[in-house]
């Protein structure tokens, strides 16, 4: 296994692992995400506020590729702020499905974010995944728009 890190001005750094076999050609494709003009991750008090949400497949804990840039930005903020010693990555759901299912789904999604941040170079000792299911809604689950706001990842500084 080979690890390749790439940095370029105006882009987020990218680190990828590739399997290399003796006497075989290997091609490596590395995608770089452009750094936004205005930050999408801001430290506000005891939270890393996200101006974009982390998006997942409809049911599982698989992070969609559209969320790669926001996760790279989160990793960069954490790595560049050593005073942030610990972050609880919280997973939240709406009220659709059973409480047990939502708790498991939110935990798996929070863990998927933690795993990705670790791959992006964040020290694992600084991260903790915690799923809350539907126990901490931002607003009543009375409309589809409200439910969408309740399905979220939050990053709380410990």
């Amino acid at each position: 296994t080979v690890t390749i890190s790439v940095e370029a001005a105006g882009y987020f750094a990218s680190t990828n692992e590739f399997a290399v076999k003796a006497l075989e050609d290997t091609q490596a494709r590395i995608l770089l995400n452009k750094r936004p003009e205005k930050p999408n991750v801001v430290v506000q008090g005891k939270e890393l506020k996200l101006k974009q949400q982390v998006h997942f497949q409809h049911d599982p804990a698989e992070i969609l590729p559209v969320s790669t840039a926001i996760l790279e930005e989160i990793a960069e903020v954490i790595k560049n702020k050593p005073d942030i010693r610990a972050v609880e990555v919280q997973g939240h759901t709406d009220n659709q499905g059973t409480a047990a299912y939502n708790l498991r789904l939110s935990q798996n999604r929070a863990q998927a974010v933690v795993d990705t941040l670790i791959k992006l170079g964040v020290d694992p000792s600084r991260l903790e995944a915690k799923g809350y299911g539907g126990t901490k809604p931002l607003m009543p689950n009375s409309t589809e728009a409200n439910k969408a706001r309740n399905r979220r990842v939050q990053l709380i500084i410990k």
Side-chain angles (χ1 to χ4, degrees):
T1 302
V2 172
T3 301
I4 299 175
S5 295
V6 178
E7 293 182 26
Y11 292 84
F12 291 112
S14 181
T15 301
N16 295 303
E17 289 185 350
F18 299 95
V20 178
K21 295 181 183 174
L23 304 174
E24 287 187 19
D25 289 342
T26 301
Q27 290 187 2
R29 176 170 283 195
I30 299 175
L31 299 174
L32 297 179
N33 287 303
K34 196 167 185 85
R35 187 178 306 284
E37 289 183 25
K38 293 182 180 179
N40 290 310
V41 180
V42 180
V43 178
Q44 274 186 352
K46 290 288 189 183
E47 185 172 357
L48 292 177
K49 288 279 192 184
L50 306 181
K51 294 182 181 176
Q52 294 179 4
Q53 267 302 349
V54 177
H55 295 281
F56 298 88
Q57 288 285 352
H58 172 64
D59 216 14
E62 184 178 332
I63 299 171
L64 292 174
V66 70
S67 293
T68 302
I70 191 74
L71 291 167
E72 289 173 345
E73 192 170 349
I74 293 166
E76 185 175 88
V77 168
I78 295 171
K79 288 188 297 187
N80 290 337
K81 294 198 175 287
D83 55 313
I84 297 177
R85 293 194 176 106
V87 175
E88 181 178 85
V89 177
Q90 298 182 348
H92 299 275
T93 66
D94 58 25
N95 64 346
Q96 304 239 193
T98 66
Y101 175 82
N102 285 336
L103 196 59
R104 186 172 56 255
L105 178 64
S106 64
Q107 179 65 38
N108 290 343
R109 287 182 170 180
Q111 189 61 53
V113 170
V114 165
D115 292 344
T116 301
L117 294 174
I118 291 168
K119 285 179 186 170
L120 292 169
V122 177
D123 182 342
S125 70
R126 297 173 71 189
L127 300 170
E128 176 188 357
K130 177 74 174 149
Y132 288 93
T135 63
K136 294 187 175 191
L138 294 175
M139 49 195 42
N141 284 296
S142 54
T143 66
E144 285 306 313
N146 285 3
K147 288 179 183 183
R149 292 219 35 225
N150 289 333
R151 294 187 299 266
R152 69 196 186 280
V153 170
Q154 283 184 276
L155 297 115
I156 304 302
I157 300 168
K158 297 302 222 168

